[in-house]
Amino acid sequence: VSLARPLFYGLAGPVAGYLAVRLGDRRAAMGGGIAVALSCLALAVIGPGTSDAYIFGALALAGAGFGGMFPPITAAVTKSVAEKDLGVAGAASSMMVQIGMVVGIQLHQTVQESRETATGLLDSYHQAFLVGAGVAVVALLVVSQMRDVMPELMAGSTRSRMISAAAEAQSQRPIPALDSDMIISRTSAPMNGH
């Protein structure tokens, strides 16, 4: 079940690159963000009786969402700077992805652990995923302001090759964690009176 997220993360990257060229970086990234928000909402309602197929689907949606967001955002960053600054822009983009993953994991864990005593284990996870969905909506609002650079202006340029390389590098990035292994193992345990 927990392989759903990395599997769909890897599959989504090339599709997102294609969609970014066809639809623009902003729309492609927003599609990924919507998938992440929906996956958080889906994970916010799991319980002891939730089927493995449902959890697989929710984690697959999360993986596809993250995998769908990163290539268009990376492409937008690299298309927004001069060629001489591509290395710095790529490094800054990668650093922000890493910081975002760490902050996201810690936010999820902080909400879950701080609410567990008051609401019980299951509800604490529900609340953490609802916060995650809220963060994804905020990210969607930010991404909706992203400027698209016309793909036809990029065709054949060195920058175009760099963007293609950035999309390929997507498969080399670590997979953002939603702490799925902990969710699966802890939700099958008895729930403090729930």
Side-chain angles (χ1 to χ4, degrees):
V1 171
S2 63
L3 288 177
R5 189 174 20 96
L7 174 65
F8 281 84
Y9 178 85
L11 293 173
V15 174
Y18 175 81
L19 291 175
V21 170
R22 296 286 179 237
L23 304 174
D25 299 323
R26 181 173 34 89
R27 287 185 188 145
M30 286 184 70
I34 290 167
V36 170
L38 290 174
S39 74
C40 286
L41 291 174
L43 290 167
V45 297
I46 64 172
T50 304
S51 72
D52 287 347
Y54 180 89
I55 294 171
F56 181 92
L59 292 174
L61 191 58
F66 283 121
M69 284 177 15
F70 292 137
I73 290 173
T74 301
V77 168
T78 59
K79 289 188 281 187
S80 300
V81 299
E83 245 179 87
K84 67 181 181 67
D85 296 325
L86 283 173
V88 173
S93 176
S94 292
M95 179 184 71
M96 293 310 295
V97 166
Q98 297 300 317
I99 290 171
M101 283 191 283
V102 169
V103 169
I105 291 167
Q106 289 306 308
L107 176 64
H108 179 268
Q109 188 173 9
T110 299
V111 170
Q112 186 275 314
E113 288 185 8
S114 68
R115 299 299 301 151
E116 186 174 350
T117 303
T119 64
L121 180 63
L122 184 59
D123 286 340
S124 69
Y125 274 105
H126 291 169
Q127 291 173 8
F129 281 113
L130 289 174
V131 169
V135 171
V137 168
V138 170
L140 278 168
L141 293 174
V142 171
V143 169
S144 73
Q145 302 305 306
M146 193 167 80
R147 180 178 66 98
D148 281 324
V149 176
M150 298 304 293
E152 58 271 9
L153 296 176
M154 305 300 294
S157 69
T158 301
R159 190 179 277 175
S160 177
R161 289 189 295 278
M162 294 295 285
I163 292 165
S164 297
E168 279 185 40
Q170 165 67 19
S171 64
Q172 303 299 319
R173 286 211 172 129
I175 298 163
L178 283 176
D179 212 5
S180 59
D181 295 330
M182 184 187 297
I183 294 166
I184 293 166
S185 65
R186 292 187 77 185
T187 55
S188 60
M191 305 293 149
N192 301 342
H194 286 77

